[in-house]
Amino acid sequence: MSARNSIWILLGLLLVLFYVASSSIELIVEYIWFHTQDYGQVFAVTIGTKLALGLVAGAASFVFLAINVMVAVRELGDPARYLPAELQHTPMGQLLTPRTIKRVGLLGSLAIGALAGFSGSNGWESWLLFLNGGSFGAVEPIFGKDIGFYVFRLPFIDQVQSFAWSLGILALFAVGLLYFLKMQADRPDIGPARTINLASFSANARRHVAVLAALLLLDLAVGVYLQRFELLHQPGGLFTGPGYAEINGALPMLALKSVAAVVAAFIVVYALLRQRYRFLLGGVALMLVVWIGANIYTTVLQRFIVAPNELEKERPFLGFHIEATNRAFGLDTVEERTLARDTELTTQDITNNRATVHNVRLWDHEPLLDTFSQIQEIRTYYEFVSVDNDRYMIDGELRQTMLSPRELSSRSLPSRTWVNERLTFTHGYGLTMGPVNRVNEQGLPALFVQDLPPRTVKPELSITRPEIYYGEIDNDYVFVRTRQKEFNYPEGDLNIFSDYEGDGGVPMGSLWRRLLFAAYFRDIKVLLAEDFTDQTRVMLFRNIFKRVTMIAPFFKFDQDPYMVIHAGKLMWIMDGYTTSSRYPYSEAVQDVGNYIRNPVKAVVDAYDGSIRFYLVGPTDPIAQAYQRIFPGLIHALSEMPAGLRAHLRHPPDFFNIQTQMYATYHMRDVNTFYNKEDQWEVPVIEQKRMEPYYTVMRLPEEAKEEFILMLPFTPRLKDNMAAWMVGRSDGDHYGKLVVYAFPKQKLIFGPKQMAARINQDPQVSQQITLWDQSGSNVIRGTLLVIPIENSLVYIQPLYLRAEDGRIPELKRVIVGYQNSIAMGLDLDDALRKIFGSDGRPTETSATRAAAQQRATEMSSASPMGVESGSARAMQHYEAMQRASREGDWSRFGRELEELGKTLRELQTRKP
């Protein structure tokens, strides 16, 4: 062996050793971490199943390939004779012995077996669901099989069939190549360019190839047979699942294809063993005729039988599709209510629904996040990632709030030394929270919780453990309980330091742990640091998405986790989904599948990182299967503290999918669905689809207000309102969907129509123009649809940001109701302009033009005197001063408008 070859072999061994060592270190660290989180059983079951499946798949592949290769090698004889004559007596020819070839064959089989083992271990989840999956309690209408067969069992069966096919192809290719080499040596007169005569193969070779070919054809027959079941969740032209042409054409033809493959297997064996090679052509012809004929037959059925009578032929299957899609997305239990005819709202109606009005969200997420970032981040290394909607009982009332955790971003540290990033600046601190509908005199959000350390104005929101070690920012690992004090929060020009007092993280006290984590982090400083003590702990996997997906990778988690104040601590709540793409006859949603549920809530402690999973959807069969696979992983909802249960909410990602599907699949009548007579869509305003929003309101026919998620619908290609859907979140109503539909005979303005009317309103457009001319940036907030009684009120906030500023300020609120548009300094002001004291809609900008014309005509007959006008101006000025002292900024704004009107009238009457 040459020195160069020895070096390459050594390098290869070193790479293998490095990979094995690196993988082993990662495995050991994960083992320790899982046990510190009390999820050691999850780790053991997962790794044990992967190992077992990998060994079985690898061993089966090695044995199967090795046997086939050894049989073929035995037929080769002396391998040196396959070399050119001038090379047969060289060192290469002497090296090429039967033993060498066998070793190469075994090593090749071992390598492929190892790869097959790695591939097979990836099927651990399918195998566990195959063993533990239960019933869905419903059967599909074609074969009468439980849905669980398609979701739990068929995926693993498909994987086994595909694995066997790949293995058979590899074996046939390997032995075919060896036998071809043997034939070339035995019959040198047959060159590569000439036609290969199968009679040139030995009898043993023919038998061997015949067996492998037959096994492949039998495996193909199994695969074709399984395709019959796959049809039930494959998309078609009109709907997902088999229709008339598939049931009467594709399904029988698939069965015929499967039989043809079995027959072809026997033909191949007979032809090769009996040397009747013309029969091989017959087998090939049989397969081609059946395959092509089956496709032609199905196409003919579709084009000449189904297409001319599509509705009648597809009617029963379209019904299966509608029913299955509603079940798969949890829409079969939607409660549908029809609203009474729209009645005119009065001041008393507004008063009776004060809880709804007081919880209208006037702060959008983006402007509020910008504002929080400017007034509450305090230091550059703090960051507000997102704003979360929630509700709290404050002063005995249910109040909707918006809050944002103040996380620490190590990337933004002014001095990014190892000590600063790993030992000193370890955590964020506190949060900022305020009501959704209140502003201060500067137009900035009023706050319930603010500053550092957190200062609360409501005892219900007190925070005793404000440190945030685990959050949404993808921060790296840190060490706590070291000799280096941790930065806690700034206080004026001083910094307050502290020591970690919790049980989070992994102990680092021993030398071998330091060695292990130094290798894991590839950081020698972990081993050499002098600040570590026997109590030092390392906090890793601090991103909450990473934490929960490491323990439960089989759940998909919502991208909008939200923080909750519970018993003085800060807790993250995350929504976990179960999904599948194999629900028969159900329509699929991109990147989701054709089945989804939200059965799991994950709660992560922001201080110590502890994780608990709770089952909120006990009827979901997939979640039940994982409960059987991992006993103790998911806890009953009754074990969740009542304070946390009060903050559960219907998740927006799930609700978005449900509304998307319900817009079409609320049409349960087949005729209506086929003709799309009553299809809805989510409104689009300025090329942007409306997003669901949380609010607190009293639903029609309900006794009290509750926290709901809402989205309106309009008829497809029309702009008027058709209905609105809510996802309920409180108490026993959690997860229930209700749809309120408007009578079709009455026109109700939709969001797009109301947005257009607001844009055309003279007062609104004039005010925005004035702001634009002054160089300010006007930000239009989300147009909200707020149901009150059986009517709708539209509300849109307006924010103003200075040309060179970054802080948006809430300056106006626009309210639209029926034909009236009003703009006020706040919501109460705008509502007051629409609803007068007598309970009827009063003068608004929609009728103001005519009123101004009448006023002009009257003023020519009885002009206002300068003295009386001056007196009125002084009255308004004094009223403004009183309102300022009392903090009544709504009245201040009204008096300011009246003062301006009076001064303009005085200006026009000046002699």
Side-chain angles (χ1 to χ4, degrees), residues 363-364 366-367 370 686 758-759 763-782 796-814 823:
W363 281 103
D364 279 2
E366 290 185 12
D370 290 342
E686 296 180 356
I758 289 174
N759 292 337
Q763 182 187 7
V764 174
S765 59
Q766 181 182 16
Q767 182 63 69
I768 291 177
T769 301
L770 288 173
W771 281 332
D772 286 337
Q773 289 174 349
S774 66
S776 298
N777 180 22
V778 179
I779 304 172
R780 292 174 178 264
T782 301
Q796 184 178 40
L798 289 181
Y799 312 97
L800 196 63
R801 180 158 47 197
E803 185 177 11
D804 56 349
R806 295 184 179 180
I807 304 178
E809 299 175 5
L810 178 61
K811 286 301 184 183
R812 295 289 188 273
V813 177
I814 302 170
M823 183 170 66

Side-chain angles (χ1 to χ4, degrees), residues 460-748:
E460 300 94 331
L461 304 176
S462 61
I463 302 173
T464 57
R465 182 57 74 188
E467 297 88 349
I468 302 175
Y469 285 87
Y470 300 88
E472 295 182 79
I473 294 180
D474 196 16
N475 280 323
D476 217 337
Y477 60 94
V478 296
F479 300 95
V480 297
R481 293 187 187 173
T482 66
R483 293 186 179 90
Q484 183 75 32
K485 290 288 187 180
E486 297 177 56
F487 171 77
N488 212 25
Y489 60 88
E491 190 171 61
D493 294 331
L494 302 176
N495 289 334
I496 306 301
F497 293 86
S498 66
D499 290 313
Y500 183 71
E501 299 175 353
D503 297 324
V506 177
M508 285 278 293
S510 63
L511 177 61
W512 87 267
R513 284 281 178 94
R514 294 180 67 171
L515 283 168
L516 174 68
F517 282 98
Y520 179 74
F521 295 131
R522 294 177 175 81
D523 189 350
I524 192 65
K525 295 185 181 70
V526 176
L527 183 62
L528 302 178
E530 297 179 356
D531 290 315
F532 288 2
T533 70
D534 293 341
Q535 301 300 315
T536 296
R537 306 175 78 89
V538 57
M539 292 188 172
L540 64 165
F541 310 135
R542 296 204 294 146
N543 178 274
I544 55 177
F545 292 103
K546 174 74 171 177
R547 292 182 77 78
V548 296
T549 51
M550 282 192 66
I551 295 173
F554 31 81
F555 296 134
K556 292 182 179 180
F557 288 94
D558 197 284
Q559 296 302 302
D560 184 28
Y562 59 102
M563 180 167 277
V564 169
I565 302 173
H566 169 64
K569 301 181 69 176
L570 303 181
M571 316 290 286
W572 293 99
I573 297 181
M574 305 177 68
D575 290 281
Y577 303 117
T578 54
T579 62
S580 175
S581 58
R582 291 176 169 266
Y583 199 98
Y585 271 109
S586 176
E587 185 71 14
V589 173
Q590 188 176 3
D591 299 327
V592 174
N594 63 3
Y595 173 90
I596 185 171
R597 287 292 187 276
N598 171 225
V600 172
K601 304 285 184 179
V603 178
V604 183
D605 192 313
Y607 185 67
D608 61 28
S610 58
I611 306 167
R612 297 272 284 187
F613 297 92
Y614 295 96
L615 187 68
V616 296
T619 59
D620 177 48
I622 300 179
Q624 292 173 354
Y626 285 116
Q627 277 190 301
R628 289 188 286 269
I629 295 170
F630 303 107
L633 170 65
I634 310 174
H635 301 271
L637 183 60
S638 58
E639 298 180 33
M640 178 184 283
L644 284 177
R645 283 204 305 272
H647 292 280
L648 298 183
R649 65 185 197 181
H650 196 76
D653 284 0
F654 188 27
F655 190 69
N656 250 330
I657 294 170
Q658 289 179 307
T659 53
Q660 174 186 336
M661 302 307 291
Y662 192 78
T664 299
Y665 289 91
H666 74 279
M667 299 180 290
R668 291 182 170 86
D669 177 73
V670 173
N671 284 4
T672 305
F673 184 93
Y674 179 81
N675 294 309
K676 299 295 186 288
E677 296 174 15
D678 192 26
Q679 188 173 7
W680 298 341
E681 62 184 5
V682 176
V684 176
I685 302 177
E686 296 180 356
Q687 298 182 344
K688 185 178 180 182
R689 180 184 186 270
M690 286 189 71
E691 295 294 329
Y693 50 90
Y694 290 102
T695 189
V696 171
M697 65 171 292
R698 181 174 63 83
L699 295 173
E701 304 176 16
E702 298 293 338
K704 65 175 185 177
E705 63 275 6
E706 58 185 281
F707 188 66
I708 57 105
L709 185 61
M710 176 184 168
L711 196 63
F713 292 112
T714 58
R716 185 172 178 268
L717 302 180
K718 293 185 179 180
D719 296 329
N720 59 288
M721 186 72 79
W724 46 280
M725 174 184 272
V726 299
R728 306 176 75 175
S729 298
D730 291 343
D732 295 336
H733 297 304
Y734 173 80
K736 294 182 178 178
L737 301 177
V738 184
V739 171
Y740 293 89
F742 290 98
K744 290 183 173 60
Q745 63 271 22
K746 182 173 178 61
L747 177 67
I748 307 294

Side-chain angles (χ1 to χ4, degrees), residues 804-838:
D804 56 349
R806 295 184 179 180
I807 304 178
E809 299 175 5
L810 178 61
K811 286 301 184 183
R812 295 289 188 273
V813 177
I814 302 170
V815 173
Y817 171 66
Q818 292 183 348
N819 292 314
S820 300
I821 305 288
M823 183 170 66
L825 293 174
D826 57 21
L827 180 57
D828 287 339
D829 185 29
L831 287 172
R832 194 179 295 112
K833 290 181 178 180
I834 287 188
F835 301 99
S837 58
D838 60 353

Side-chain angles (χ1 to χ4, degrees), residues 89-156:
H89 300 291
T90 63
M92 180 183 293
Q94 295 173 3
L95 181 64
L96 202 61
T97 64
R99 175 176 290 185
T100 304
I101 296 300
K102 287 182 180 179
R103 287 177 178 175
V104 172
L106 289 174
L107 285 175
S109 300
L110 184 62
I112 294 175
L115 294 175
F118 281 118
S119 176
S121 66
N122 293 329
W124 67 275
E125 191 176 344
S126 297
W127 168 244
L128 290 175
L129 289 175
F130 178 85
L131 293 179
N132 296 277
S135 170
F136 267 67
V139 297
E140 44 81 13
I142 304 304
F143 302 107
K145 290 184 176 294
D146 189 275
I147 306 299
F149 168 78
Y150 297 89
V151 175
F152 298 129
R153 292 171 182 81
L154 189 57
F156 184 74

